[in-house]
Amino acid sequence: LRCPMGSVSGFDLSTFSRFCPAGAEPAFLAQMTYTLLAPPVQVLDLALNDPSTHPCVDATSDATTSSAAQTVIATAGGVCNAVAFWYEAELDDEMTLSTDPSISPATRQAVFM
């Protein structure tokens, strides 16, 4: 997680900078002590091969924001100091790329404090 994005292995990825979350800090949650106060909740289902499913991106403008309500039910007591985000990309029927800290401890997650 590095924003803004630039060149990676010779590829210009600067266009993806508009998707960088403002206020997020990168963190290796698998290397931190924390208490999960609620189970993970899916906030977006995005089909990369079908732009009509992209609720956050208006192809006719530079708009990259959207909002939606999501109910999160705490299952443990404590104080919420941050909200963490990670993704799972289903590459095909058999392969999934995940940054879930319980599955991929070497990957970083986006943390909003």
Side-chain angles (χ1 to χ4, degrees), residues 10 13 27 30 36 53 80 92 94 96 101 109 111-112:
L13 300 180
L36 194 64
T53 67
C80 181
D92 60 28
E94 299 174 3
T96 300
Q109 295 72 41
V111 177
F112 294 85

Side-chain angles (χ1 to χ4, degrees), residues 1-6 12-25 44 46-48 51 53-66 85 87 110 112:
L1 181 61
R2 183 176 63 179
C3 291
M5 296 184 76
D12 179 10
L13 300 180
S14 59
T15 301
F16 290 99
S17 291
R18 68 187 203 165
F19 299 110
C20 292
E25 296 290 332
L44 178 66
L46 182 68
L48 296 177
T53 67
H54 302 183
C56 297
V57 180
D58 178 352
T60 63
S61 74
D62 284 337
T64 59
T65 60
S66 180
F85 287 84
Y87 68 87
F112 294 85

